Amino acid sequence: EPEVTQTPSHQVTQMGQEVILRCVPISNHLYFYWYRQILGQKVEFLVSFYNNEISEKSEIFDDQFSVERPDGSNFTLKIRSTKLEDSAMYFCASSVGGSMYEQYFGPGTRLTVT
Amino acid sequence: AQSVTQLDSQVPVFEEAPVELRCNYSSSVSVYLFWYVQYPNQGLQLLLKYLSGSTLVKGINGFEAEFNKSQTSFHLRKPSVHISDTAEYFCAVRLLSSGSRLTFGEGTQLTVNP
């Protein structure tokens, strides 16, 4: 069964450093998403991406964040200058269509900012 | 704006007992409703969804949920749980009118004891 994969599973970085979290969505999916979950808190929507552009973003997704689909398979989330409060589990998801369709989630990348 | 409340952060039950995990939502417009499960060190997996039609929805692993529009609830039930059902369960909503972002509840940790 096809699945969403994410690398790395755990990333440790120092405050102020740039990080890139990588995701490989399911191959025939067209919509891509990033969510995050700070320890002990809700899973929060960050951004959705369709047709090579951001279709929706939350208030969390400020100028420090960017997303890219650099080739036909990868979907990346970049944080330019990490802060301590960026420490969280980051989930990538993809779906074949828009709002009616199931979002398939990856296993997550745990980002720790020290 | 929509919001989701899961009233119980932890639910301990004995094996083969019935369980109900509660979810209430608030939204001024119609929504799609979802339940996801997260096993340890894994991503979120869809259990079931309500889009329209019958208010009783059956999902995987013997779970079902009932959409109650008047009470704005979408409680998850299973008549007899197994040890393997131990996991975190998340209720989520998505607006019909716009976007595809999921708004999640806080999660309920279900622990099934022998």
Side-chain angles (χ1 to χ4, degrees):
Chain A
E1 186 176 331
E3 57 184 19
V4 176
T5 59
Q6 292 184 243
T7 54
S9 56
H10 190 189
Q11 172 100 39
V12 181
T13 189
Q14 289 190 326
M15 196 167 50
Q17 296 296 304
E18 175 184 285
V19 293
I20 297 177
L21 309 183
R22 291 184 167 79
C23 169
V24 178
I26 295 173
S27 61
N28 65 332
H29 285 188
L30 302 176
Y31 292 74
F32 314 109
Y33 313 85
W34 284 101
Y35 292 81
R36 78 170 185 191
Q37 184 181 27
I38 296 171
L39 188 64
Q41 298 186 23
K42 295 185 180 188
V43 176
E44 301 172 290
F45 170 80
L46 292 177
V47 66
S48 61
F49 191 85
Y50 169 70
N51 201 25
N52 278 322
E53 59 183 26
I54 291 173
S55 50
E56 191 179 1
K57 61 181 182 180
S58 72
E59 55 281 357
I60 302 169
F61 194 88
D62 61 21
D63 292 344
Q64 294 281 43
F65 292 90
S66 62
V67 289
E68 192 179 29
R69 188 153 162 82
D71 51 44
S73 60
N74 290 283
F75 179 53
T76 62
L77 174 69
K78 182 193 291 186
I79 309 175
R80 288 191 183 78
S81 178
T82 51
K83 307 183 186 74
L84 294 176
E85 53 265 35
D86 294 328
S87 295
M89 181 73 91
Y90 288 81
F91 293 105
C92 173
S94 69
S95 62
V96 66
S99 61
M100 286 184 65
Y101 294 86
E102 176 183 353
Q103 292 180 17
Y104 290 80
F105 283 77
T109 292
R110 180 165 297 286
L111 176 65
T112 302
V113 183
T114 61
Chain B
Q2 69 274 27
S3 68
V4 181
T5 302
Q6 292 181 242
L7 297 165
D8 306 299
S9 60
Q10 300 202 33
V11 174
V13 294
F14 288 109
E15 194 173 17
E16 297 183 5
V19 72
E20 178 180 82
L21 307 183
R22 297 180 292 170
C23 173
N24 287 86
Y25 68 94
S26 64
S27 174
S28 58
V29 298
S30 296
V31 297
Y32 296 132
L33 295 154
F34 305 82
W35 274 98
Y36 281 83
V37 61
Q38 185 180 27
Y39 299 104
N41 301 315
Q42 295 186 29
L44 300 165
Q45 180 184 5
L46 184 69
L47 271 179
L48 48 79
K49 60 186 177 185
Y50 173 79
L51 303 180
S52 64
S54 172
T55 57
L56 183 63
V57 180
K58 294 192 183 298
I60 62 171
N61 301 340
F63 284 92
E64 63 182 30
E66 185 152 22
F67 169 55
N68 187 320
K69 188 174 182 179
S70 63
Q71 297 187 4
T72 60
S73 67
F74 191 55
H75 301 331
L76 181 71
R77 301 186 186 101
K78 185 169 182 178
S80 176
V81 293
H82 303 292
I83 300 282
S84 59
D85 292 322
T86 294
E88 185 103 24
Y89 291 80
F90 294 93
C91 181
V93 303
R94 185 189 294 160
L95 296 183
L96 268 71
S97 57
S98 63
S100 51
R101 73 164 72 185
L102 289 168
T103 300
F104 285 88
E106 303 90 340
T108 297
Q109 173 64 45
L110 174 66
T111 302
V112 182
N113 298 300

